[in-house]
Amino acid sequence: MGDIVFTRQSGWIPQVISEDGELRLMLGAGADANHEPRTFTFPIGEAHLAVIHEDLARHLLLWSAVLPLCDDAGTRGRLDENAAVALLDPILLSAPADVDAFFRSIRWDRGRLVAHGADTGLLKRGQVCAAMRAATGTSDGKRAQEYHADRRRGERGAVLGPLDAAVLRYTGQYLHGSTVPKRLPDAVDPALLPRVIGVITTAEQACAGMRIGRDPRRGKRATDKRDWDRMTAVVDAAVRRAHPGLADDAVRTVSFLMCSEAADRSRNAPMEDDEDAAGDRADLGGSTRRTPLSFTDDKGVERKWLPDGPRTATAEFWEFVGERSAGDNEVFTIEDEGLGEGVQLHFYADSLARITTVREGEGGSDPEYRVEYSLVDGIGAYRNLVSAFVRGGCAALEQHGPWISDVAEFERARRRRDAG
């Protein structure tokens, strides 16, 4: 690195250095293959240095125009110095109208100028020199992020009013719609906060008493997509009815907030509490069951549940599923060896088989089983079936049919369901 000739001592604004008697503009941009910052330089003249020294706006405009060339260099390429040098006179030494015209013909980094105070309205109209009259040497990265977020919304035709923007700021989703929503009242203009709270209150009242259960088929902390969709629909409808002027983005962020909070409550609750919330605990019979159960998966892993254990059989089983379920492990069995019956859950097919022993094996012969199949509609139905079996064995499943013993007939029923 050469000797520093001029620097604004502010963030990443390019510096002028002297290297082997030659003036060069030096800037950091991008990263190499090891994620270390890259540094680029290219030659400038004394006249260029004089403008850079005296005119912050022109300095920032030059930086904005050079950055795309740095992006072109990638992680290991060289800066196209000829292209960089070709930017100097048109940006630093030309009349404002000519600079504006020049910027209409090149690529440039708008976000960099916005971060340093550019007037976004003038930028949009192509008046880059006028836009930089209020330029500052300090950078406001959040301002640039908001500018890019507004441009993305504009590209898809979304227009936000003051309340819409305030709701998005409250949930922390103004910049990125995929960000997990939060409650950030301090991010909202105090004058608008009561109206935002009114929107949130509408949503809370609409989904009061609703819950998003867990879906152990997809892991220990996964939640039920159907419950999520159901709560979304209820909240969306209530908010649109009470606040008809809200933009779609604002409505979506409110329902996302409600669903995220409900899902977190389920994820962070012990499995027994999850069962309690579902209203199942009183009917499970897990704590009163007198015979042990065996849980197995498609990989041959087995877990025993004993009646004198601290947890219910259903809680223990779904914990087992959450730990073991995977794309190549989607068949789980609950067996009561003492009664000679069990159920097998086929998550890949949304079906369940109940298996009862018709005749015990004698004299070396194999036992005879009756196998009956039923279609299952979602994790809620699986939970009901498992609870019923734990409570009363295969007989308790009779009301949850229809049950089909013919495999070919069952496959036809499954194909009809999947086609519909």
Side-chain angles (χ1 to χ4, degrees):
M1 175 177 166
D3 297 327
I4 296 175
V5 175
F6 175 73
T7 179
R8 294 191 182 276
Q9 299 289 355
S10 179
W12 290 83
I13 298 178
Q15 300 175 330
V16 178
I17 64 171
S18 176
E19 194 170 75
D20 298 328
E22 180 183 52
L23 292 175
R24 298 183 73 87
L25 192 73
M26 182 178 73
L27 69 157
D32 60 21
N34 296 319
H35 306 290
E36 295 293 331
R38 295 202 71 192
T39 300
F40 301 94
T41 70
F42 62 94
I44 67 171
E46 292 286 351
H48 305 131
L49 171 60
V51 175
I52 289 170
H53 188 279
E54 298 297 330
D55 194 331
L56 170 64
R58 298 280 182 131
H59 190 179
L60 295 172
L61 286 170
L62 176 62
W63 185 21
S64 170
V66 174
L67 283 171
L69 300 180
C70 298
D71 291 340
D72 292 344
T75 59
R76 61 183 67 184
R78 295 175 60 84
L79 178 70
D80 185 342
E81 288 195 8
N82 292 332
V85 169
L87 299 171
L88 293 171
D89 287 357
I91 295 175
L92 298 179
L93 306 181
S94 299
D98 294 331
V99 175
D100 290 347
F102 184 66
F103 266 72
R104 288 193 287 272
S105 68
I106 63 170
R107 294 175 297 150
W108 47 288
D109 189 327
R110 286 172 172 77
R112 194 69 58 179
L113 300 184
V114 172
H116 282 270
D119 183 308
T120 57
L122 292 173
L123 281 185
K124 187 175 182 179
R125 293 194 290 272
Q127 298 173 258
V128 293
C129 288
M132 297 305 293
R133 286 175 185 157
T136 63
T138 57
S139 175
D140 182 349
K142 185 178 180 181
R143 186 171 189 261
Q145 289 179 316
E146 291 186 353
Y147 173 73
H148 285 304
D150 289 338
R151 287 194 71 194
R152 289 193 299 270
R153 275 189 282 266
E155 289 170 357
R156 55 183 172 85
V159 179
L160 299 182
L163 180 58
D164 301 316
V167 170
L168 287 166
R169 293 185 194 282
Y170 180 88
T171 62
Q173 288 202 300
Y174 188 90
L175 299 182
H176 304 289
S178 60
T179 303
V180 176
K182 307 179 182 68
R183 297 187 183 227
L184 304 170
D186 291 343
V188 179
D189 181 343
L192 285 170
L193 185 57
R195 295 180 63 193
V196 173
I197 297 302
V199 174
I200 300 301
T201 300
T202 297
E204 291 173 334
Q205 292 173 346
C207 63
M210 298 182 71
R211 65 184 297 275
I212 295 178
R214 281 184 282 188
D215 188 347
R217 297 174 300 175
R218 298 188 293 117
K220 290 186 68 173
R221 291 177 57 80
T223 51
D224 187 349
K225 184 178 184 300
R226 289 190 179 187
D227 284 351
W228 184 293
D229 292 343
R230 189 178 302 115
M231 184 177 289
T232 295
V234 168
V235 172
D236 279 7
V239 171
R240 290 183 193 280
R241 186 167 53 250
H243 309 275
L246 277 185
D248 288 346
D249 284 13
V251 174
R252 278 194 294 267
T253 198
V254 173
S255 59
F256 192 8
L257 175 66
M258 296 297 110
C259 291
S260 294
E261 291 180 342
D264 281 343
R265 288 192 291 271
S266 287
R267 291 189 189 103
N268 296 325
M271 189 64 76
E272 287 86 354
D273 291 345
D274 184 52
E275 298 286 2
D276 279 340
D280 293 336
R281 183 62 176 269
D283 297 328
L284 292 182
S287 59
T288 58
R289 167 176 268 275
R290 294 293 178 256
T291 56
L293 295 174
S294 173
F295 310 144
T296 56
D297 65 6
D298 211 22
K299 301 291 185 180
V301 174
E302 181 178 12
R303 179 176 299 177
K304 294 286 188 180
W305 178 84
L306 300 177
D308 57 355
R311 309 178 70 195
T312 66
T314 52
E316 193 73 27
F317 172 70
W318 289 117
E319 184 81 13
F320 178 66
V321 171
E323 293 172 357
R324 299 290 305 164
S325 183
D328 61 347
N329 195 21
E330 297 185 285
V331 177
F332 288 80
T333 301
I334 308 174
E335 184 177 2
D336 185 326
E337 296 179 3
L339 294 178
E341 58 185 25
V343 290
Q344 190 172 72
L345 291 70
H346 312 125
F347 294 145
Y348 67 91
D350 291 325
S351 64
L352 178 141
R354 64 174 180 176
I355 306 164
T356 54
T357 303
V358 175
R359 180 179 56 82
E360 297 287 349
E362 297 177 357
S365 64
D366 293 331
E368 181 183 345
Y369 299 103
R370 180 171 64 250
V371 181
E372 300 166 291
Y373 302 90
S374 181
L375 299 173
V376 182
D377 188 17
I379 186 62
Y382 271 122
R383 283 189 180 277
N384 289 337
L385 290 164
V386 168
S387 298
F389 176 78
V390 168
R391 182 173 60 247
C394 285
L397 295 174
E398 190 63 36
Q399 62 180 313
H400 296 279
W403 296 93
I404 304 171
S405 57
D406 182 83
V407 175
E409 181 185 348
F410 174 71
E411 285 300 318
R412 287 192 294 270
R414 188 163 71 90
R415 285 195 295 269
R416 285 195 300 270
R417 178 201 60 187
D418 295 344

